[in-house]
Amino acid sequence: MVLVAVALLVFGLSGNAAAGERQAEIVQLVGGLDEDELIVFEPEDPRYTVTVFTDVNCPYCREFHQQIDDYLLWDIRIRYAAFPVIGNAFEQMEAVWCSDDRQDAITRAKLGGTEVKAEGCPNPVADHLAIAREHRFLGTPTIITPKGQIRYGLVPAAELADMLEAEVAR
């Protein structure tokens, strides 16, 4: 229990007021991300949207992406932002963002494929990484809900849909 309290203090999450402020800040942050600088997978009629800070080399991120169709079946729109922390992920993710077809490129990269970096391509990878570090995201994938809740790791589609439905009901 002491470790939890220390962790909450260290990460600025102690008390309901502080947690609420952090969630509001996260909502503003995510809402301010330029949609053109994200990789978006969306169902025909989305009910929910989450932003996922992801790494192409993260095993849990890869598993999350392998289940992308499940999230879409649950009407969850996935907006990927870059959070490259494992191995050569930074270079790989720059290559993904510089691809003509980002959805295909991130899918191939998460299957272990490599991308050829486009020369001089402006991309948001460093900016996304700076956001993740500034807000002390603890791991990948980092899933952010519309109301600023943060979940780390793999969350199955049905569980994420339940979580989002509960958030809407509040």
Side-chain angles (χ1 to χ4, degrees), residues 125-147:
V125 173
D127 294 336
H128 291 175
L129 179 58
I131 288 167
R133 286 182 174 160
E134 177 184 338
H135 292 278
R136 294 173 272 169
F137 294 163
L138 301 176
T140 53
T142 298
I143 303 168
I144 302 173
T145 70
K147 291 195 177 177

Side-chain angles (χ1 to χ4, degrees), residues 33-49:
L33 291 173
D34 184 347
E35 188 91 2
D36 291 336
E37 293 185 348
L38 302 172
I39 300 174
V40 180
F41 288 83
E42 63 184 306
E44 190 172 313
D45 189 23
R47 290 183 61 202
Y48 314 105
T49 297

Side-chain angles (χ1 to χ4, degrees), residues 67-84:
Q67 298 174 27
I68 197 77
D69 289 337
D70 293 342
Y71 297 100
L72 299 178
L73 284 173
W74 283 93
D75 296 326
I76 302 170
R77 183 171 180 257
I78 305 296
R79 299 173 359 134
Y80 281 133
F83 188 7

Side-chain angles (χ1 to χ4, degrees), residues 38-160:
L38 302 172
I39 300 174
V40 180
F41 288 83
E42 63 184 306
E44 190 172 313
D45 189 23
R47 290 183 61 202
Y48 314 105
T49 297
V50 295
T51 302
V52 180
F53 281 76
T54 191
D55 180 325
V56 294
N57 292 330
C58 159
Y60 296 109
C61 297
R62 287 179 173 185
E63 192 171 339
F64 181 97
H65 192 70
Q66 288 171 358
Q67 298 174 27
I68 197 77
D69 289 337
D70 293 342
Y71 297 100
L72 299 178
L73 284 173
W74 283 93
D75 296 326
I76 302 170
R77 183 171 180 257
I78 305 296
R79 299 173 359 134
Y80 281 133
F83 188 7
V85 291
I86 300 173
N88 69 343
F90 191 90
E91 293 80 14
Q92 287 294 309
M93 295 188 87
E94 281 191 321
V96 164
W97 256 263
C98 289
S99 295
D100 290 333
D101 184 345
R102 292 179 184 168
Q103 286 184 340
D104 179 63
I106 199 164
T107 298
R108 283 186 288 118
K110 287 188 179 216
L111 291 173
T114 57
E115 294 292 322
V116 177
K117 186 175 178 182
E119 194 66 35
C121 167
N123 65 75
V125 173
D127 294 336
H128 291 175
L129 179 58
I131 288 167
R133 286 182 174 160
E134 177 184 338
H135 292 278
R136 294 173 272 169
F137 294 163
L138 301 176
T140 53
T142 298
I143 303 168
I144 302 173
T145 70
K147 291 195 177 177
Q149 289 186 68
I150 298 175
R151 285 287 303 265
Y152 296 106
L154 181 63
V155 178
E159 184 180 332
L160 183 58

